[in-house]
Amino acid sequence: MICAVSFGQLGASLDTRDVIVGAVEEVVQIAEAKGIRIPGENYGAAVIKTCESLGTGLSSMLQDFRGGKRIEIDALNGAVVRLGKELGIPTPYNATLYATAKLLSQSGAKPR
């Protein structure tokens, strides 16, 4: 949402790929700490592949934001940050995404 670009553009950027992998790894660490086994492996690579396959598609959060609707950042990245604090697991990627999206949504700014 904060980049206001398509999934394909996110997956194509080397810089955002690193952020995606970092955020996904934080989620996997939290899941493991909670005793949740996520099937598969190379989760970050799988998310990037999904972004690439979605091409020009836009996230529902970006669509909601553009439509003036409330975004679900608290239930997504916010939940990761809260669980990370509870479990003592650092979540710098999700914390940055959460703080940035939260501020943007409260600012009244409208991405293109």
Side-chain angles (χ1 to χ4, degrees):
M1 187 214 64
I2 58 177
C3 294
V5 298
S6 70
F7 284 114
Q9 290 170 295
L10 285 174
S13 165
L14 294 179
D15 294 324
T16 57
R17 289 168 77 107
D18 288 343
V19 173
I20 291 167
V21 169
V24 169
E25 287 176 0
E26 292 171 2
V27 171
V28 171
Q29 287 177 2
I30 288 171
E32 289 174 352
K34 299 284 276 179
I36 300 167
R37 168 74 175 110
I38 303 172
E41 54 188 53
N42 299 320
Y43 307 105
V47 171
I48 290 168
K49 185 176 180 179
T50 299
C51 286
E52 292 170 339
S53 73
L54 293 171
T56 60
L58 302 176
S59 72
S60 61
M61 196 179 313
L62 176 57
Q63 292 177 51
D64 286 346
F65 183 68
R66 285 181 172 173
K69 298 177 185 173
R70 185 170 177 230
I71 62 170
E72 64 270 19
I73 195 68
D74 288 316
L76 299 175
N77 302 90
V80 174
V81 173
R82 286 188 299 280
L83 285 168
K85 287 179 182 175
E86 175 185 308
L87 298 166
I89 298 172
T91 58
Y93 288 99
N94 280 281
T96 300
L97 294 170
Y98 173 70
T100 306
K102 185 86 171 175
L103 180 62
L104 186 61
S105 71
Q106 293 171 343
S107 74
K110 297 287 180 225
R112 299 182 275 126

